[in-house]
Amino acid sequence: MLNSLLRAIEKLGLSKNEIVMVSGIGCSSRISGYVDFHTLHTIHGRALAFATGVKLSRPELNLIVPMGDGDALAIGGNHFIHAARRNIDITAIVMNNRIYGMTGGQYSPLSGYGTLATTAPYTNIDQDFDVVELSIASGASFVARTTTYHVQQMADIIRKAILHKGFSVVEILSQCPTYFGRKNKAGNAVDMLESYKTNTTSIGSKAKKENPELIERGIFAQKEIPEYCNEYNKIIKKAMKGHS
Amino acid sequence: MKKNIKFVQGNEACVEAALYAGLDFFAGYPITPSTEIAEHLAYRLPRVGGKFIQMEDEIASMCAIIGASLTGNKVMTATSGPGFSLMQEALGYAIMTEIPCVIVNVQRGGPSTGLPTHMSQGDVNQVRWGTHGDHAIIALSASNHQDVFAMTVDAFNLAETYRTPVVLLFDEVIGHMRERLFMPEKGEIPLVKRLRTSVKEGVDYHPYLPREDGRLPMSDFGGVHRYNVTGLFHDMWGFPSDNQKVVHELLRHLVDKINNNVDQITKFKEFYLESAETILISYGSSARSSLHVVENLRSRGEQIGLLELQTLWPFPSHIIKEKCAKAKYVIVVEMNMGQIHQSVRGAVDRPERVFLANRIDGVFITPMDIRNVMRLIQGKGV
Ligand SMILES: Cc1ncc(C[n+]2csc(CCOP(=O)(O)OP(=O)(O)O)c2C)c(N)n1
């Protein structure tokens, strides 16, 4: 994921000084400590709220927010839907490993019915939701899904997400062999990666029609709608005119 | 001169002062009795090129102002008890990462939803210890609109000077009451600008290496120095560390930079304290009733005075100890169950002489209420 991200940024030709990476708390959030951008490692679930403050105060900066599934959609679910609704130009990357990795394998809102976790020893009765559908319904103007197996596609999607003017969500199905894999007999990291190859398919593919169980990959939404910081600049113009 | 007089609510006085101090960015979520601050700023900020955003809750508001402060802006949020409770984790983050910001808490009655439109001063100790872990905090209050203005400007100055969140602890009476406000001229009150690093691009900048005077020059996010900011204990580069020395020194630094500067930070007002046998100690709107009592009794020859605290935290213990050294009675007047009373007792030589005159029913404490307590203390019956 880190490689694909760096490759995407390189391709875009962005200067490191123009990039701010804001993360929350979780295994996935530690990534901000490994990159040479402006990095803001915040508190669990709130990365998008911090990022909103950075972006609105300096709209020329590129905001990238990597999050775990718990970080983004349990504790941070409210911030997620509202950042999407505002369509503020931030790239949210949800690394969906379907588990709380950092704290050692408790179920997340994306674990899904019937899975096992340290806090679901008899099987999980929580239903999960679909990150893509949730994002589209919340108003995100760019929504995509890929996996850690599909590195080429990942780099391509991240690049497009950063380029997109508005709130972008990239869901990346990511393996957590230590907790999710072991508990759910999904095998080691290699097995899990392999499974992304066999369990997923491109959007609208023939394979999907034949096997509806397959998870689709690709860009699900890409819309031009008013971006929050642009709109606020218009408000400033309006307010200043009345002021003179 | 006349154009500089306004007749406003306390919340508006706070807004005027924030703009005077150079507020660039406000994020908030509506809550009585602070909402007017957000409403006025939604209108005023874009007129001066500033930014206002209504967030999805108070947690997000607090986080957003921290983000906006990092890019080099003066920032503020405003709330009341329930919202202030929600802000605590992010408030601790601002303390740990040393990001200047101002938080207004226009208090209402609590706990919980409490008394939304009534009077209380029940958040004094929450401001001090609301967020987890050892830390220091600055909290200011005011008893009239001119002081709301002055303390608000001071809050911005202190936030920049000490790189810390500063809480303005007002109350419902101050927030909503209308009163005259003399608008200071530009330049009349000194403003503290952000201390920015002079380290040039390409030269190592240590975001968390204090200078000899304890201050840490900042570099705006998005500027030429890229660095890491984290709520974990961190070294001078801003990278996480659990090295014992690093942890110890950072915690000491966070506490000492404020507690060792109590004298520079503290503001208070005194009325008739010389030769006072009875000293009232109060703050915020209850100081108004206290002053009324003092002036009334002084005119009848009683040796009574008032010490009005404007800085609540760090607690100015030595000033209280000194001022109360010769008093027969010290009476703390506040609208809670004795939150400052407790601290005053800890500060003076003879705590048995410290009494509490309070009201906790959502009704503004009157001079009569204070007099009744005084009669009891002085053995005259009610
Ligand atoms: C307010 C708060 N609650 C709980 C925690 C503990 N905690 C840290 S990370 C985490 C969940 C991590 O899961 P996820 O966000 O999916 O990221 P992952 O570690 O799987 O990448 C939790 C519950 C915390 N740091 N803060």
Side-chain angles (χ1 to χ4, degrees), chain A residues 50, chain B residues 62 66 84 87-101 103 126-138 162-167 208 216 229-234 250-251 253-258:
Chain A
F50 283 90
Chain B
M62 188 64 210
I66 294 170
F84 190 64
M87 289 178 182
Q88 295 305 317
E89 190 192 6
L91 178 64
Y93 182 84
I95 291 172
M96 183 60 134
T97 53
E98 304 187 67
I99 297 177
C101 53
I103 302 112
Q126 190 198 10
V127 169
R128 178 64 191 88
W129 290 117
T131 196
H132 60 280
D134 282 310
H135 59 276
I137 189 103
I138 300 177
Y162 297 101
R163 275 195 66 169
T164 187
V166 176
V167 180
Y208 289 101
L216 291 94
V229 176
T230 176
L232 291 163
F233 275 93
H234 46 269
L250 176 53
L251 189 53
H253 161 74
L254 294 178
V255 171
D256 289 350
K257 71 175 179 181
I258 291 172

Side-chain angles (χ1 to χ4, degrees), chain A residues 25-28 44 68-71 75 97 99-103, chain B residues 89:
Chain A
I25 299 291
C27 302
S28 337
H44 191 31
D69 42 317
D71 200 37
I75 190 165
N97 59 10
I99 201 90
Y100 285 3
M102 188 81 170
T103 42
Chain B
E89 190 192 6

Side-chain angles (χ1 to χ4, degrees), chain B residues 137-196:
Chain B
I137 189 103
I138 300 177
L140 316 174
S141 81
S143 63
N144 61 63
H145 293 9
Q146 208 60 50
D147 287 352
V148 165
F149 193 101
M151 298 317 281
T152 301
V153 174
D154 202 34
F156 281 92
N157 286 347
L158 291 169
E160 294 297 334
T161 305
Y162 297 101
R163 275 195 66 169
T164 187
V166 176
V167 180
L168 284 164
L169 200 53
F170 299 143
D171 56 55
E172 193 274 333
V173 168
I174 293 299
H176 282 164
M177 178 181 66
R178 282 187 184 276
E179 195 173 72
R180 206 169 44 171
L181 171 71
F182 292 93
M183 286 289 294
E185 296 291 333
K186 221 174 146 190
E188 203 174 317
I189 307 179
L191 302 178
V192 177
K193 275 211 203 105
R194 177 148 307 179
L195 178 65
R196 290 189 168 86

Side-chain angles (χ1 to χ4, degrees), chain B residues 2-203:
Chain B
K2 200 155 175 239
K3 74 176 186 345
N4 286 335
I5 302 176
K6 288 178 186 274
F7 188 69
V8 292
Q9 288 191 323
N11 284 342
E12 288 173 79
C14 174
V15 165
E16 294 297 343
L19 292 169
Y20 182 93
L23 177 71
D24 301 294
F25 187 99
F26 179 97
Y29 189 82
I31 182 168
T32 306
S34 77
T35 307
E36 296 83 5
I37 296 179
E39 288 173 341
H40 283 281
L41 284 170
Y43 182 72
R44 297 283 298 279
L45 264 176
R47 294 184 151 227
V48 293
K51 311 265 169 87
F52 167 93
I53 184 168
Q54 181 173 313
M55 296 298 287
E56 53 273 21
D57 59 27
E58 290 85 350
I59 300 174
S61 305
M62 188 64 210
C63 297
I65 64 165
I66 294 170
S69 179
L70 255 180
T71 65
N73 295 288
K74 289 198 176 178
V75 301
M76 182 168 97
T77 183
T79 187
S80 187
F84 190 64
S85 292
L86 287 180
M87 289 178 182
Q88 295 305 317
E89 190 192 6
L91 178 64
Y93 182 84
I95 291 172
M96 183 60 134
T97 53
E98 304 187 67
I99 297 177
C101 53
V102 175
I103 302 112
V104 188
N105 176 355
V106 187
Q107 297 166 93
R108 48 143 114 189
S112 190
T113 310
L115 286 169
T117 56
H118 290 69
M119 170 61 212
S120 164
Q121 295 170 328
D123 300 351
V124 174
N125 279 339
Q126 190 198 10
V127 169
R128 178 64 191 88
W129 290 117
T131 196
H132 60 280
D134 282 310
H135 59 276
I137 189 103
I138 300 177
L140 316 174
S141 81
S143 63
N144 61 63
H145 293 9
Q146 208 60 50
D147 287 352
V148 165
F149 193 101
M151 298 317 281
T152 301
V153 174
D154 202 34
F156 281 92
N157 286 347
L158 291 169
E160 294 297 334
T161 305
Y162 297 101
R163 275 195 66 169
T164 187
V166 176
V167 180
L168 284 164
L169 200 53
F170 299 143
D171 56 55
E172 193 274 333
V173 168
I174 293 299
H176 282 164
M177 178 181 66
R178 282 187 184 276
E179 195 173 72
R180 206 169 44 171
L181 171 71
F182 292 93
M183 286 289 294
E185 296 291 333
K186 221 174 146 190
E188 203 174 317
I189 307 179
L191 302 178
V192 177
K193 275 211 203 105
R194 177 148 307 179
L195 178 65
R196 290 189 168 86
T197 181
S198 55
V199 172
K200 297 271 175 311
E201 183 169 11
V203 181

